[in-house]
Amino acid sequence: TSAERVAAPSTYKELRPHQEEAVRALVEALSVPGDDLRAQCVMACGTGKTLVAVRASEQLGEKILFTEP
């Protein structure tokens, strides 16, 4: 089933301090009650935007739409 194919949480990679701060801020921004939640995570190239999005999604327990240019 599709539930069996879900990957384990990404606990194998330790976050850097700036990534931990970004995850906290993103989770806080997306934890506000409402149905039109949006957030931007502006980080430089190579600083871990994808990892931040994955960790935020794991902490929220929700699927999120993450796009990068």
Side-chain angles (χ1 to χ4, degrees), residues 1-63:
T1 67
S2 62
E4 295 170 350
R5 291 181 284 199
V6 174
S10 57
T11 55
Y12 64 90
K13 184 161 175 93
E14 189 173 327
L15 294 177
R16 295 181 176 163
H18 71 277
Q19 294 167 327
E20 290 176 355
E21 181 180 347
V23 170
R24 275 193 303 273
L26 195 53
V27 168
E28 182 179 325
L30 294 174
S31 294
V32 177
D35 57 348
D36 188 30
L37 297 176
R38 296 172 187 219
Q40 284 186 333
C41 184
V42 180
M43 297 169 62
C45 295
T47 57
K49 291 180 291 292
T50 302
L51 184 56
V52 166
V54 168
R55 291 293 178 87
S57 176
E58 290 172 353
Q59 287 188 19
L60 290 166
E62 299 284 338
K63 293 181 181 180

